[in-house]
């Protein structure tokens, strides 16, 4: 059922009016980050103040003008009452206390902060949220949020297009339910909705994947046992390997291995045969579904082994949490080792999937990560799609889950700007788009943002659209305030089984983005913040693409500066977790990046050499998080090989650049975060790290939980890092970092020498 199908007739005039007042998201934008962010020195304070004042004044007028004939609740003289004056004074005092306390917050907008996944936020997002919060809409139902529900639908369409999902060329007017079903069978329609966080989105993705997985077997039992469905007992189903059988004749193994689109189509097929609503079919099949009878009874009744799920050992902690919350136990999630690039090992996954085929173990889904939390590594999405196709031929079906909470917005770097065929109707009737011209204005802008992605990364972004669910966080690389996340379904029918509703929110016959998913109440302010930010910074090459290609370039330059930070005469060196290029490659890049005076060229000059941009894209991490460690020479000038000493030095360096109690904010001169690589990563990755870091002594067994190699972690999100009025800010932070590391290393070596017993 589409959004428009759920609209009560009484609301149609209102939504028709909305279509005349709110523009859909499309087109190109003139790149101007100087207007998009407040800036590290509050450079745009006047603009922000003006827009916030406009937003608040607009809301105040809406209250004043609503039924002017209504009497106010206060007398004219209330502001002179002693109680009021005391309350005003108390409120002012306590607000001041909180405001002063907030000044101790981490300086996320500063170039000096390169720690966690947070940065400055867009002015548009702030104004959108503040303009809406006073209205306090709840997007759980259109009854509580007619305006912001409509806005969230616009955002949903925009996110779907950003990741490459397409809408039909045209949605015709249907004369009956049969015509509508035929159209939707042939034209898969995607959808997104907002959530309060990436963890919630990932949990919902797992939940949806699990529950849709077993629709066929539940429906089979309903066809056998429910008189209302008896007339559809001959409904056919296509198995994973292409075989067609009657649904009531499939075995438990076959019924648990039907591809996603076929699975979610089955209730519609039965409804079509019986000429009843698909919601009725879903209601009846749920009586035999694990969502009602529970996991133990369902798997026992069908003689099924406990199902499994697979994900990278580098995946976010919300992934095992999601598995546990399904009631299957976190042990049902198999943690896969990663390769030397911290990407999931598909060879290992294939072996495990073959074992599942041989032993008839159902597989719910496999997870690919677009930007791991620690390393910003990008799994082989294309390879996983091909692997699923191969497994289908062996009779094994499973869903593909994309965790793009961090990296989802990077799809904008390969997404051409587009125009809508029918802008007025697009929010309710989304259709195909056409390409728009891209406006550029300077040398850095003239370079296609797609060139800033490595060949591996670009390939995975293109394969993303073949995944069944995608989670994306606007509050990360969308530069919008917390908590603002989303989940998308390649096929909107995927979410039908998830619906829980109540009469007070209108049931399933009222348009809503809130009846799907885990959340009940949802802040309408988040939808407006995302919409306004997307309208000013398009989710394509001319908007977020321009922002994020700068982050990718800055990340490459930061990574190379780390590798070149020390000379042979220095007592320490920086080793990157991303595999270091050959000496020949590094020397070549250095000769092209630095001028005759040994000064790194400006980013505009760098981008005049398109081949240099392409070459730089192949260096460093997949995205914009750099992990690195420090090794050092001992008192005799020999490189340290001791694992424990490496850990001690790197922990001390992290403590120097960590957030901790200081005398004043000025003490925070440079902030990094840190992480450690444990047994979840597997032996190959750990052994590669130890070897490249030069550690051979006292190294714990690879693959054991005792191996916890610490590294520093830098997240490069600031758009202006290389474009300040005085050049690159790395020219400030790099000498500082080198100086402090030298002090720590020297002190450690001297202390070690002093504590060494004399013979």
């Amino acid at each position: 059922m589409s959004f428009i199908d759920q609209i009560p007739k009484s609301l149609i005039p209102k939504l028709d009016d909305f279509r005349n007042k709110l523009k859909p998201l499309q087109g190109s934008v003139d790149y101007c980050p100087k207007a998009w962010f407040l800036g590290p020195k509050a450079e745009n304070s006047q603009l922000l103040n003006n827009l916030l004042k406009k937003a608040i004044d607009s809301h105040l007028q809406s209250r004043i003008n609503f039924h002017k004939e209504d009497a106010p609740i206060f007398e004219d003289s209330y502001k002179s009452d002693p109680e009021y004056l005391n309350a005003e004074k108390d409120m002012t005092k306590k607000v001041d206390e909180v405001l002063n306390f907030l000044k101790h917050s981490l300086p996320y907008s500063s170039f000096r902060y390169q720690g966690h996944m947070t940065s400055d936020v867009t002015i548009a997002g702030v104004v959108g949220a503040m303009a809406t919060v006073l209205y306090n809409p709840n997007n759980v139902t259109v009854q509580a949020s007619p305006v912001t529900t409509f806005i969230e639908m616009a955002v949903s369409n925009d996110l779907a297009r950003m990741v490459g999902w397409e809408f039909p060329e045209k949605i015709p007017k249907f004369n009956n339910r049969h015509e509508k079903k035929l159209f939707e069978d042939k034209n898969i329609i995607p959808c997104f909705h907002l959530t309060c966080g990436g963890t919630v989105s990932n949990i919902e993705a797992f939940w949806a994947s699990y529950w849709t997985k077993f629709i066929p077997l539940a429906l089979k039992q309903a066809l056998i046992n429910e008189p209302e469905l008896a007339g559809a007992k001959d409904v056919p189903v296509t198995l994973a390997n292409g075989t067609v059988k009657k649904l009531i004749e499939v075995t438990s193994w076959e019924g648990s291995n039907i591809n996603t689109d076929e699975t979610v189509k089955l209730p519609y097929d039965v409804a079509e045969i019986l000429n009843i609503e698909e919601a009725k079919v879903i209601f009846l099949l749920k009586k035999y579904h694990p969502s009602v009878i529970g996991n133990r009874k369902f798997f026992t009744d069908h003689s099924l082994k406990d199902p499994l799920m697979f994900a990278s050992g580098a995946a976010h902690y919300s992934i095992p949490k999601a598995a546990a919350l399904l009631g299957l136990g976190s042990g049902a999630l198999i943690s896969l080792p990663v390769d030397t690039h911290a990407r999931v090992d598909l060879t290992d996954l294939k072996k495990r999937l073959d074992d599942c085929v041989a032993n008839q173990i159902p597989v719910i889904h496999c997870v690919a990560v677009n930007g791991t939390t620690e390393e910003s590594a990008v799994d082989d999405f294309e390879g996983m799609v091909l692997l699923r196709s191969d497994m289908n031929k062996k009779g094994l079906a499973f869903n593909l889950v994309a965790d793009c909470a961090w990296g989802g917005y990077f799809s904008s770097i390969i997404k051409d700007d587009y125009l809508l065929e029918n802008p007025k109707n697009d929010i309710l009737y989304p259709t195909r788009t056409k390409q728009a011209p891209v406006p550029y204005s300077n040398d850095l802008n003239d370079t296609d943002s797609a060139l800033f992605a490595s060949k591996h990364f670009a390939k995975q972004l293109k394969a993303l659209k073949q995944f069944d669910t995608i989670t994306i966080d606007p509050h990360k690389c969308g530069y919008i305030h917390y908590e603002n996340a989303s989940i998308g379904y390649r096929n909107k029918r995927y979410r039908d089984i998830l619906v829980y509703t109540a009469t007070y929110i209108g049931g399933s016959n009222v348009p809503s983005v809130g009846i799907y998913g885990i959340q009940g109440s949802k802040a309408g302010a988040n939808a407006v913040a995302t919409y306004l930010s997307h309208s000013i910074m398009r989710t394509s090459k001319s908007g977020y693409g321009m922002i994020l290609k700068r982050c990718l370039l800055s990340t490459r330059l930061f990574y190379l500066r780390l590798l070149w930070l020390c000379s042979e005469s220095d007592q320490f060196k920086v080793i990157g977790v991303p595999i270091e290029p050959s000496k020949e490659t590094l020397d070549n890049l250095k000769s092209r990046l630095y001028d005759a005076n040994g000064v790194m060229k400006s980013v505009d000059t760098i981008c005049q050499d398109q081949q240099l941009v392409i070459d730089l894209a192949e260096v460093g991490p997949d995205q914009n998080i750099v992990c690195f460690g420090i090794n050092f020479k001992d008192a005799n000038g020999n490189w340290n090989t001791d694992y424990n000493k490496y850990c001690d030095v790197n922990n001390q360096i992290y403590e120097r650049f960590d957030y901790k109690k200081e005398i004043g904010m000025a003490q925070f001169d440079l902030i990094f975060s840190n992480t450690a690589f444990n047994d979840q990563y597997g032996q190959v990755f750990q052994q590669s790290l130890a070897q490249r870091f030069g550690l051979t002594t006292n190294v714990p067994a690879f693959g054991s939980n005792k191996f916890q190699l610490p590294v520093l972690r830098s997240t490069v999100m600031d758009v202006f890092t290389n474009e300040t009025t005085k050049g690159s800010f790395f020219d400030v932070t790099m000498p500082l970092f080198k100086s402090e590391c030298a002090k720590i290393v020297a002190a450690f070596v001297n202390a070690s020498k002093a504590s060494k017993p004399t013979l």
Side-chain angles (χ1 to χ4, degrees):
M1 182 176 290
S2 68
F3 179 69
I4 191 68
D5 292 329
Q6 302 174 53
I7 299 173
K9 292 182 179 180
S10 60
L11 272 178
I12 290 178
K14 172 63 70 177
L15 293 181
D16 279 337
D17 185 47
F18 285 172
R19 283 186 279 176
N20 293 322
K21 293 180 177 178
L22 186 77
K23 294 181 179 180
L25 295 164
Q26 65 166 339
S28 306
V29 292
D30 292 327
Y31 178 73
C32 188
K34 293 178 181 178
W36 293 349
F37 295 91
L38 178 57
K41 295 299 181 184
E43 290 89 344
N44 277 323
S45 58
Q46 183 175 351
L47 175 60
L48 179 62
N49 278 325
N50 290 343
L51 292 175
L52 287 177
K53 184 177 185 303
K54 183 185 287 289
I56 293 172
D57 287 347
S58 175
H59 176 80
L60 298 181
Q61 286 303 311
S62 74
R63 293 196 181 198
I64 293 169
N65 293 331
F66 184 74
H67 283 282
K68 291 184 178 181
E69 70 275 15
D70 293 347
I73 61 173
F74 305 126
E75 299 294 337
D76 292 342
S77 61
Y78 76 95
K79 291 183 181 179
S80 61
D81 292 343
E83 295 85 355
Y84 180 89
L85 294 173
N86 287 335
E88 181 183 40
K89 182 179 179 181
D90 181 61
M91 191 181 302
T92 300
K93 176 185 175 182
K94 290 174 180 175
V95 167
D96 285 341
E97 289 175 353
V98 170
L99 294 178
N100 287 328
F101 185 65
L102 285 171
K103 291 178 182 178
H104 295 280
S105 300
L106 284 166
Y108 297 132
S109 61
S110 171
F111 298 124
R112 295 178 183 273
Y113 187 87
Q114 290 182 229
H116 292 280
M117 298 168 155
T118 187
S119 182
D120 205 353
V121 292
T122 67
I123 288 177
V126 172
V127 174
M130 294 303 296
T132 313
V133 72
L134 290 171
Y135 292 97
N136 199 28
N138 182 356
N139 276 24
V140 68
T141 171
V142 72
Q143 294 172 339
S145 58
V147 171
T148 52
T149 291
F150 193 72
I151 290 175
E152 187 169 340
M153 295 306 300
V155 172
S156 167
N157 295 346
D158 200 44
L159 288 169
R161 288 177 172 127
M162 181 178 73
V163 299
W165 286 340
E166 294 183 344
F167 292 94
E169 289 187 16
K170 183 179 180 181
I171 299 179
K173 182 178 181 180
F174 304 116
N175 295 313
N176 52 58
R177 183 188 296 125
H178 175 70
E179 290 182 0
K180 179 176 180 294
K181 179 185 181 296
L182 288 178
F183 178 83
E184 292 189 350
D185 285 350
K186 295 178 180 178
N187 298 274
I188 292 174
I189 301 173
C191 65
F192 262 86
H193 68 82
L194 297 180
T195 72
C196 62
T199 293
V200 170
S201 295
N202 280 335
I203 291 170
E204 182 177 327
F206 272 50
W207 177 34
S209 186
Y210 175 37
W211 279 19
T212 56
K213 173 75 174 177
F214 296 109
I215 285 175
L217 289 179
L219 182 55
K220 172 187 173 181
Q221 292 303 111
L223 291 173
I224 294 171
N225 296 304
E226 296 295 325
E228 292 178 78
L229 303 183
K233 283 189 176 181
D234 291 335
V235 66
V237 62
T238 302
L239 306 183
N241 61 8
T243 302
V244 178
K245 296 181 69 172
K246 291 181 181 180
L247 180 59
I248 61 170
E249 295 178 355
V250 301
T251 66
S252 293
W253 174 245
E254 292 171 334
S256 60
N257 283 287
I258 296 172
N259 283 322
T260 303
D261 293 336
E262 181 75 4
T263 292
V264 298
K265 185 172 75 73
L266 282 172
Y268 289 80
D269 291 343
V270 171
E272 169 77 0
I273 293 170
L274 300 175
N275 195 29
I276 61 176
E277 292 287 344
E278 62 274 2
K280 178 67 173 178
V281 179
I282 293 172
F283 172 78
L284 291 172
L285 75 84
K286 274 191 172 182
K287 294 168 63 175
Y288 306 92
H289 191 269
S291 62
V292 171
I293 66 175
N295 299 335
R296 180 187 298 177
K297 179 171 174 51
F298 182 84
F299 296 129
T300 300
D301 288 350
H302 293 281
S303 300
L304 286 172
K305 295 179 180 178
D306 291 344
L308 297 177
M309 298 160 280
F310 295 92
S312 160
H316 189 256
Y317 66 83
S318 63
I319 299 300
K321 182 187 292 186
L325 286 171
L326 292 181
L328 298 172
S330 58
L333 177 73
I334 305 302
S335 181
L336 301 168
V338 299
D339 63 16
T340 55
H341 298 282
R343 303 166 188 158
V344 67
D345 185 345
L346 291 187
T347 301
D348 185 84
L349 174 59
K350 183 181 184 303
K351 291 178 182 177
R352 293 174 184 270
L353 292 175
D354 281 333
D355 183 66
C356 289
V357 173
N359 294 283
Q360 293 199 345
I361 301 171
V363 176
I364 296 175
H365 57 241
C366 295
V367 181
V369 184
N370 179 8
T372 55
T373 304
E374 310 302 333
E375 315 84 8
S376 71
V378 178
D379 287 336
D380 188 350
F381 283 68
E382 182 184 62
M384 197 172 284
V385 170
L386 294 173
L387 180 57
R388 178 169 69 170
S389 179
D390 289 342
M391 288 297 152
N392 284 169
K393 296 172 185 176
K394 299 178 182 180
L396 183 70
F398 51 87
N399 298 323
L400 293 179
V401 173
D403 179 3
C404 304
W406 172 248
Y409 273 82
F410 280 99
S411 290
S412 63
I413 67 176
I414 66 167
K415 179 69 177 177
D416 290 323
D417 293 349
Y418 60 83
L419 296 173
L420 302 173
E421 294 286 354
N422 189 353
K424 179 179 177 181
N425 294 323
D426 188 76
I427 294 176
L428 297 179
Y429 301 98
T431 57
R432 294 285 175 90
T433 61
K434 57 186 178 181
Q435 189 170 337
V438 181
Y440 294 120
S441 58
N442 62 36
D443 294 323
L444 177 53
N445 292 346
D446 275 337
T447 310
D448 186 350
S449 59
L451 300 179
F452 291 77
S454 68
K455 293 176 183 177
H456 167 81
F457 187 19
K459 187 185 297 184
Q460 311 324 315
L461 291 175
K462 292 174 183 176
L464 178 58
K465 62 184 178 183
Q466 299 181 69
F467 275 61
D468 299 305
T469 62
I470 300 175
T471 61
I472 298 176
D473 286 0
H475 65 215
K476 290 194 175 79
C477 286
Y479 293 87
I480 299 170
H481 68 279
Y482 284 88
E483 304 165 320
N484 202 327
S486 69
I487 179 171
Y489 297 93
R490 184 181 55 79
N491 186 336
K492 67 183 180 63
R493 288 175 170 177
Y494 201 58
R495 61 188 183 171
D496 290 345
I497 192 89
L498 305 181
V499 175
Y500 281 87
T501 187
T503 55
Y504 78 88
I505 64 170
S508 61
N509 292 321
V510 176
S512 176
V513 290
I515 62 173
Y516 305 104
I518 294 172
Q519 284 178 260
S521 297
K522 293 177 52 176
N526 288 345
V528 180
T530 308
Y531 170 87
L532 197 54
S533 192
H534 283 197
S535 69
I536 292 169
M537 296 166 53
R538 293 297 300 118
T539 50
S540 51
K541 289 183 177 181
S542 70
Y544 279 100
M546 302 292 272
I547 294 292
L548 293 173
K549 76 177 183 181
R550 280 166 164 77
C551 292
L552 289 175
L553 178 59
S554 293
T555 303
R556 311 306 188 221
L557 298 179
F558 175 73
Y559 171 72
L560 289 172
R561 282 175 179 261
L562 286 174
L563 299 184
W564 294 329
L565 185 64
C566 301
S567 65
E568 293 183 2
S569 61
D570 288 310
Q571 198 171 9
F572 73 96
K573 63 180 177 181
V574 182
I575 307 106
V577 170
I579 295 177
E580 185 175 319
S582 67
K583 184 179 184 303
E584 180 182 4
T585 298
L586 287 173
D587 289 344
N588 176 268
L589 289 173
K590 195 169 189 178
S591 68
R592 296 156 70 190
L593 287 171
Y594 285 86
D595 62 23
N597 298 316
V599 177
M600 183 171 280
K601 298 174 183 177
S602 70
V603 287
D604 278 338
T605 303
I606 290 171
C607 291
Q608 289 176 5
D609 183 347
Q610 190 173 101
Q611 187 58 50
L612 177 56
V613 172
I614 294 172
D615 292 343
L616 284 171
E618 302 302 324
V619 173
D622 290 335
Q623 294 175 348
N624 59 328
I625 297 175
V626 182
C627 290
F628 54 97
I630 309 296
N631 208 353
F632 59 94
K633 297 176 183 176
D634 62 20
N636 297 319
N638 299 315
W639 286 107
N640 169 62
T641 61
D642 189 280
Y643 171 90
N644 293 326
K645 291 180 179 179
Y646 165 88
C647 293
D648 288 343
V649 166
N650 280 267
N651 286 330
Q652 288 183 36
I653 292 173
Y654 168 64
E655 289 176 4
R656 165 60 181 85
F657 295 105
D658 184 21
Y659 172 87
K660 56 184 179 180
K661 292 181 180 179
E662 304 282 2
I663 298 173
M665 291 302 292
Q667 299 293 319
F668 298 119
D669 49 12
L670 182 59
I671 301 173
F672 293 123
S673 57
N674 75 332
T675 189
F677 298 115
N678 57 29
D679 58 304
Q680 295 291 320
Y681 286 77
Q683 296 184 28
V684 171
F685 181 76
Q686 290 182 335
Q687 189 169 0
S688 171
L689 279 184
Q691 180 180 353
R692 290 190 288 114
F693 282 38
L695 305 178
T696 58
T697 307
N698 294 322
V699 180
F702 299 123
S704 72
N705 57 13
K706 293 182 179 180
F707 189 99
Q708 299 276 341
L709 189 73
V711 293
L712 276 73
R713 176 174 171 271
S714 173
T715 307
V716 184
M717 290 187 70
D718 202 299
V719 182
F720 307 100
T721 299
N722 284 297
E723 300 175 76
T724 76
T725 57
K726 295 183 179 180
S728 174
F729 203 77
F730 291 147
D731 292 333
V732 176
T733 55
M734 284 296 176
L736 169 64
F737 179 65
K738 181 177 182 180
S739 173
E740 293 300 301
C741 286
K743 293 177 185 177
I744 293 170
V745 167
F748 181 86
V749 171
N750 290 336
S752 299
K753 181 180 179 181
S755 63
K756 188 175 182 179
T758 57
L759 298 178

